[in-house]
Amino acid sequence: MDSLTPATPAKTEALARRYGADAVPAAGPWNETIATMLDHRSVRGYKPDPVPAGALESMIAAAQSAATSSNMQWWSAVAVTDPAKKKILAEIAGGQKHIEQCPLFIAWVADMSRNQRISDSIKTEFETMPWLETFMVASIDAALAAQNAVVAAESMGLRTVYIGAMRNNPIKVAELLGLPPQAVVVFGLCVGYSTEKGEGEVKPRLPQSVVLHTERYDASKEEALRAAYDAEMSKFSARHELQAATWTQRVLNRLGPIKAMNGRETLRAALARMGFEIR
């Protein structure tokens, strides 16, 4: 299917699943890559079947093809298949059993240690290393790489879910995976074939008119649009028996109480102990 293929029922259905029937945006160019991306969903139930031989390497090739700031390549990945290690990672993540279930877990590392080793080996101080900008670039590089890997995995029929809870205890994660100073797992990724129950469905997103602005930021219609989205999410939540029925309620639950951070409020102190000097 080429990029200029006109609107088809499949395209319209894919957009309706992503936005809800009442918020479908204009149908533009379409192809198999876009179709795969719109079919993304977080999967938390995995079969024990291993991923195909070479799948990990193809995912990493896709990851390394993502943009990287100034070609500094500030990230690394640690592939984990050992059940004992996955069990510990699941415990760190608050008992997320899908980390144990998935045949492949990838820890994505904001890795400043590699370039620090260059600094050490040639005995030249890298003055830009300890600044917030550099740490942000490393984290962004890791995120861009991981998303490329996800698209590659899903194109092979695999499913995934990101695990931000690796930041619940980054020091313990680093010790488990043998990370050097100035390397931190910013998130994990479960990869595998979903169970029938775990497959789930595409989760609706905010209308494009909320997130897409033309020339100038405009939130004048946001409240009404958010109400409509809450109604769509309420139907989705009812189908999946989710505690937070609306998106607004999820935001309140996640951002209101400090306990919702699950220990991540200590992240700055943890990073300092891991060798990061962030000015």
Side-chain angles (χ1 to χ4, degrees):
M1 191 182 343
D2 63 58
S3 62
L4 298 180
T5 299
T8 64
K11 179 197 296 190
T12 302
E13 289 168 10
L15 290 167
R17 284 194 298 271
R18 180 53 74 196
Y19 292 104
D22 297 328
V24 176
W30 193 256
N31 54 46
E32 294 294 343
T33 301
I34 299 172
T36 297
M37 294 172 77
L38 263 71
D39 190 54
H40 169 77
R41 73 282 304 275
S42 294
V43 167
R44 295 178 174 84
Y46 292 91
K47 298 177 181 178
D49 311 48
V51 301
L56 172 61
E57 290 77 8
S58 292
M59 290 173 63
I60 297 302
Q64 289 191 278
S65 298
T68 169
S69 181
S70 300
N71 200 31
M72 291 293 98
Q73 303 180 65
W74 291 105
W75 64 273
S76 292
V78 180
V80 181
T81 58
D82 179 2
K85 285 186 177 178
K86 289 191 294 176
K87 185 176 188 298
I88 295 171
L89 292 170
E91 291 169 354
I92 291 170
Q96 296 188 44
K97 291 295 184 181
H98 37 280
I99 298 176
E100 295 185 68
Q101 289 178 348
C102 69
L104 173 63
F105 183 82
I106 304 175
W108 294 90
V109 182
D111 189 357
M112 295 170 61
S113 73
R114 184 163 47 241
N115 288 345
Q116 183 61 53
R117 288 191 290 274
I118 295 174
S119 172
D120 296 341
S121 68
I122 64 175
K123 296 180 173 55
T124 297
E125 181 183 1
F126 288 174
E127 295 181 356
T128 66
M129 284 289 280
W131 296 92
L132 176 61
E133 163 65 9
T134 306
F135 180 76
M136 284 187 64
V137 167
S139 300
I140 292 167
D141 261 23
L144 292 172
Q147 186 57 24
N148 257 28
V150 165
V151 174
E154 292 179 347
S155 76
M156 293 184 267
L158 297 164
R159 289 298 186 186
T160 65
V161 63
Y162 283 108
I163 307 294
M166 292 299 93
R167 299 189 300 279
N168 288 2
N169 193 335
I171 294 175
K172 187 172 181 179
V173 173
E175 291 172 348
L176 181 69
L177 302 182
L179 300 188
Q182 296 193 61
V184 60
V185 174
V186 284
F187 49 82
L189 184 73
C190 294
V191 184
Y193 293 107
S194 69
T195 62
E196 184 175 349
K197 182 178 180 180
E199 179 72 4
E201 66 174 294
V202 172
K203 183 181 292 182
R205 294 290 198 249
L206 286 164
Q208 282 195 7
S209 48
V210 172
V211 303
L212 175 62
H213 306 271
T214 303
E215 307 297 349
R216 184 178 178 84
Y217 196 103
D218 179 11
S220 60
K221 300 178 181 178
E222 183 175 278
E223 187 171 354
L225 291 166
R226 177 165 55 84
Y229 177 58
D230 275 344
E232 187 66 37
M233 277 301 300
S234 182
K235 291 183 287 186
F236 178 90
S237 298
R239 290 195 298 272
H240 294 274
E241 299 180 351
L242 299 179
Q243 185 175 4
T246 67
W247 184 72
T248 298
Q249 187 59 54
R250 177 170 289 274
V251 171
L252 291 170
N253 293 351
R254 181 64 182 82
L255 301 182
I258 193 68
K259 67 179 182 180
M261 295 196 76
N262 294 309
R264 296 179 222 179
E265 67 275 13
T266 65
L267 184 57
R268 180 181 287 275
L271 289 171
R273 288 178 58 189
M274 298 171 73
F276 292 93
E277 181 187 355
I278 303 176
R279 301 177 186 171

